[in-house]
């Protein structure tokens, strides 16, 4: 681990001195303007149990490499934002699991000030990826507007970050535990394009379709790359959500999942789970309720998203070699 990116004069906001430490491999890839795909660490530490988390992560990295890009796991270690971990470092994170605290964008400065570690959510991973010059990021599902948000105000910081940070996030939509119609409305308000990848329906994580229509469908990575470059031609543009449904053979049926989700939400309410603990609680509860089938779907969709993200990163590189 070495290679610290220095902010270039005239880039970033005034007084910006954030640093991202890059692994040798990621540093070399970025220096050569080769395609890189960011991967998040919250899913590793809080989204899936050990060893499924590590296996899924390894399979995602392999998928990225197979498609010709370099994977960059993003997280914070002892206060330092990092892009690119060695195998043993990633394994240590996966084993540490929930003892590594879940960190969103607002935590990045404090973790640095206190030399603490953090597993980065979609939001924090986007912020670090953008600072490092990584434009494409693969995850499972984004956070969004929670059910009951009118009462709890629980809306993921992922949405805010998508509105302002120029990274394409490839995800299987948003988790079905959320209020998906409100999540889509919020994305529209925030100016975030949602590109259906081979679909005209918003995916619901373990479920292929939510029944909610998408206006924009792209059928291959080249089409997505073209849309990204055109979008980023506008000064106020931020992130883009590329919505890739879970592979058919691992998908869970929508009608069956709805009652499982209702039961899990009721369990969360009964247990008094709130705030940032809600998502990890529901994910593990659902794994138990589906006898592990939600984990199979989760793994399959993460790997599929990693492959699609890599193809998009390669297409972006081909379309704009001097970016
Ligand atoms: N998708 C998964 N597993 C996860 C998450 C997403 O397959 O664990 C995480 C992501 O890191 C996302 C976070 O950013 O859940 C959202 O949490 P919250 O709702 O507290 O913002
Ligand atoms: Mn929340």
């Amino acid at each position: 681990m070495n290679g610290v990116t220095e902010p270039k004069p005239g880039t970033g906001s005034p007084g910006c001195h954030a640093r991202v430490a890059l692994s040798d491999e990621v540093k070399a890839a970025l220096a050569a303007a080769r395609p890189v795909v960011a991967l998040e660490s919250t899913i590793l530490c809080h989204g899936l149990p050990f060893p499924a988390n590590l296996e899924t992560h390894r399979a995602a990295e392999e998928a990225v490499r197979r498609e010709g890009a370099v994977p960059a796991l993003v997280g914070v270690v002892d206060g330092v934002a990092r892009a690119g971990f060695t195998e043993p470092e990633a394994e240590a994170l996966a084993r540490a699991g929930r003892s590594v605290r879940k960190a969103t964008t607002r935590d990045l400065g404090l973790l640095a000030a206190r030399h603490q570690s953090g597993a980065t959510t979609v939001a924090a991973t986007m912020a670090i990826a953008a600072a490092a010059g990584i434009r494409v990021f693969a995850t499972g599902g984004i956070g969004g507007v929670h059910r009951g948000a009118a009462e709890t105000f629980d809306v993921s910081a992922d949405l805010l970050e998508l509105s302002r940070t120029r990274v394409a996030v490839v995800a299987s939509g948003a988790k079905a535990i959320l209020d998906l119609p409100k999540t889509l409305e919020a994305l529209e308000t925030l100016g975030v394009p949602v590109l259906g990848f081979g679909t005209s329906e918003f995916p619901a994580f373990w479920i292929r379709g939510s029944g909610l229509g998408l206006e924009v469908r792209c059928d291959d990575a080249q089409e997505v790359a073209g849309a990204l470059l055109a979008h980023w031609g506008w000064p106020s543009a931020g992130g883009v959500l590329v919505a890739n449904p879970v592979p058919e053979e691992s998908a869970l049926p929508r009608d069956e999942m709805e009652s499982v989700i209702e039961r899990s939400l009721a369990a969360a309410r009964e247990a008094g789970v709130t705030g940032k603990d809600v998502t990890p609680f529901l994910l593990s509860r659902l794994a138990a309720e589906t006898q592990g089938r939600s984990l199979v779907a989760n793994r399959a969709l993460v790997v599929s998203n990693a492959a699609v993200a890599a193809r998009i990163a390669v297409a972006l590189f081909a379309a704009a070699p001097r970016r």
Side-chain angles (χ1 to χ4, degrees):
M1 170 54 42
N2 47 41
V4 172
T5 55
E6 296 292 337
K8 292 185 200 88
T11 64
S13 51
C16 171
H17 58 273
R19 302 271 192 281
V20 181
L22 307 175
S23 67
D24 290 338
E25 188 191 21
V26 170
K27 190 183 185 190
L30 287 172
R34 286 182 36 226
V36 176
V37 171
L39 301 169
E40 61 150 304
S41 44
T42 287
I43 190 168
L44 193 65
C45 295
H46 297 265
L48 291 163
F50 185 85
N53 59 350
L54 185 60
E55 287 160 14
T56 303
H57 173 69
R58 285 188 176 144
E61 288 211 331
E62 259 167 48
V64 169
R65 291 187 199 284
R66 209 179 310 125
E67 298 293 341
V70 170
L73 177 61
V74 168
V76 179
V77 178
D78 299 331
V80 180
R82 306 241 317 240
F85 284 66
T86 63
E87 272 261 332
E89 285 174 337
E91 179 169 346
L93 256 191
R95 285 182 183 278
R98 294 203 177 158
S99 68
V100 185
R101 84 177 226 227
K102 178 173 162 186
T104 184
T105 320
R106 70 169 181 177
D107 301 314
L108 294 174
L110 281 164
L111 290 176
R114 296 176 172 185
H115 309 287
Q116 289 168 346
S117 299
T120 48
T121 61
V122 167
T125 301
M126 285 182 80
I128 294 171
I134 301 170
R135 293 276 154 232
V136 186
F137 162 29
T139 185
I142 63 162
V145 180
H146 281 261
R147 300 186 189 193
E151 288 299 317
T152 63
F153 271 42
D154 191 353
V155 177
S156 177
D158 294 355
L159 297 181
L160 176 66
E161 202 59 36
L162 273 162
S163 76
R164 64 182 178 193
T165 299
R166 291 184 169 212
V167 169
V169 180
V170 183
S172 299
K175 273 151 288 183
I177 54 175
L178 299 168
D179 186 324
L180 295 182
K182 288 196 180 71
T183 299
L184 277 177
E185 288 296 342
L187 286 165
E188 182 186 351
T189 304
L190 292 165
V192 181
V194 182
L195 312 179
F197 192 78
T199 185
S200 300
E201 209 182 322
F202 193 52
F205 204 64
W206 316 274
I207 306 159
R208 275 183 70 82
S210 59
L212 302 165
L214 290 179
E215 276 177 37
V216 188
R217 169 182 175 143
C218 292
D219 283 307
D220 58 41
Q222 285 66 30
E223 207 182 341
V224 174
L228 292 176
L229 290 173
H231 184 64
W232 290 334
W234 289 95
S236 63
V240 174
L241 177 59
V242 180
N244 177 44
V246 59
E248 193 110 48
E249 62 280 9
S250 310
L252 299 183
R254 173 143 62 116
D255 40 0
E256 176 197 327
M257 283 306 280
E258 203 40 53
S259 59
V260 176
I261 290 167
E262 284 298 339
R263 279 203 300 280
S264 302
L265 286 165
R269 275 193 300 272
E270 259 162 54
V273 178
T274 57
K276 66 196 269 191
D277 298 328
V278 170
T279 298
F281 178 93
L282 291 175
L283 290 176
S284 67
R285 183 81 198 194
L286 273 147
E289 290 254 7
T290 60
Q291 286 85 39
R293 278 185 303 142
S294 71
L295 292 182
V296 173
N298 204 332
R299 180 193 157 114
L301 65 88
V302 167
V303 174
S304 169
N305 293 340
V308 168
R311 275 187 254 146
I312 293 168
V314 169
L316 262 182
F317 168 65
R322 266 163 283 112
R323 276 182 71 78

